[in-house]
Amino acid sequence: MSDTASTKNAASKRTLLLMIAVFVIPVVLAKLALENDWFTKAATNKGQLLSPTIDMTSVLQDAAPKWRMLYVMPENCDAVCENALFSINQVWLALGKESDRAEALVLTTDNSDPKALAALTQYPNVATMEISTPSQLATNSVYIVDTQNNAMLFYQIKLERQDAVMESRNMLADMRKLLKLSRIG
């Protein structure tokens, strides 16, 4: 009788240890994974996050609060520039019914390429804004500017049209997500 009692007792202890292990080990592993950065944390944006954001209030102070895809027109508009203009136009069109909450905007200066400025007539959905001082933004990137005029994401535009189209898909995915989550603009 004592043999069956000790066998039952040993089986109960094994079951208890197994149950503890099943519930405790995953928690311990999760804590270790978080503390030691064993994985990339959940980032759903496809563009590169600007940290800290760039305040564009001085440039956009009189503009209505909208989400903006902003591009700075360089002195010489090359293939990257043409791809950027094409991309922001296409993304704005792809936003569909949400396009009234967003704006494709090109910042120009006195030194901006005049041929490219004339070519902007091909893109009636792309607005332009002349600025007097050079912007701190790079001319080979498109920036997402929030409704509070903070440039927060950017997309490096590529030389090849196919690569630029893929980057505009990323831009579109981020814009749709931002517009879905935002109640402003």
Side-chain angles (χ1 to χ4, degrees):
M1 203 127 117
S2 65
D3 285 339
T4 56
S6 64
T7 306
K8 281 185 178 182
N9 196 12
S12 295
K13 284 182 182 179
R14 254 185 274 130
T15 304
L16 179 63
L17 289 175
L18 183 63
M19 292 300 288
I20 290 172
V22 164
F23 290 104
V24 171
I25 290 175
V27 172
V28 170
L29 288 175
K31 182 163 177 52
L32 286 172
L34 285 172
E35 288 176 352
N36 296 315
D37 291 327
W38 289 349
F39 67 96
T40 55
K41 294 186 173 130
T44 59
N45 56 298
K46 306 212 184 277
Q48 295 178 0
L49 198 60
L50 288 170
S51 182
T53 60
I54 300 171
D55 186 13
M56 300 297 296
T57 304
S58 62
V59 175
L60 301 169
Q61 63 191 357
D62 296 330
K66 286 188 173 196
W67 287 92
R68 290 183 173 77
M69 295 164 288
L70 190 132
Y71 179 68
V72 179
M73 181 70 74
E75 290 182 23
N76 298 315
C77 190
D78 56 1
V80 171
C81 170
E82 291 172 9
N83 288 340
L85 296 174
F86 177 77
S87 292
I88 63 174
N89 183 64
Q90 292 303 104
V91 170
W92 186 87
L93 289 171
L95 288 174
K97 68 179 183 176
E98 296 289 341
S99 63
D100 62 330
R101 297 177 58 204
E103 180 180 40
L105 179 65
V106 175
L107 296 181
T108 63
T109 63
D110 292 336
N111 299 331
S112 294
D113 189 343
K115 289 181 184 175
L117 291 173
L120 279 174
T121 58
Q122 298 174 29
Y123 305 114
N125 304 314
V126 177
T128 60
M129 179 182 287
E130 177 133 4
I131 57 173
S132 56
T133 59
S135 174
Q136 58 191 8
L137 304 177
T139 58
N140 62 346
S141 298
V142 172
Y143 294 85
I144 300 291
V145 180
D146 68 9
T147 57
Q148 304 296 312
N149 298 329
N150 295 308
M152 52 188 270
L153 287 171
F154 75 97
Y155 305 85
Q156 193 93 26
I157 303 301
K158 309 292 190 283
L159 185 63
E160 296 295 322
R161 179 59 66 111
Q162 190 63 26
D163 294 335
V165 167
M166 293 307 289
E167 197 62 20
S168 63
R169 287 182 183 172
N170 292 339
M171 198 182 319
L172 177 61
D174 284 346
M175 281 298 291
R176 281 187 173 151
K177 189 174 296 179
L178 289 167
L179 289 170
K180 180 180 178 185
L181 296 174
S182 171
R183 294 174 189 227
I184 304 171

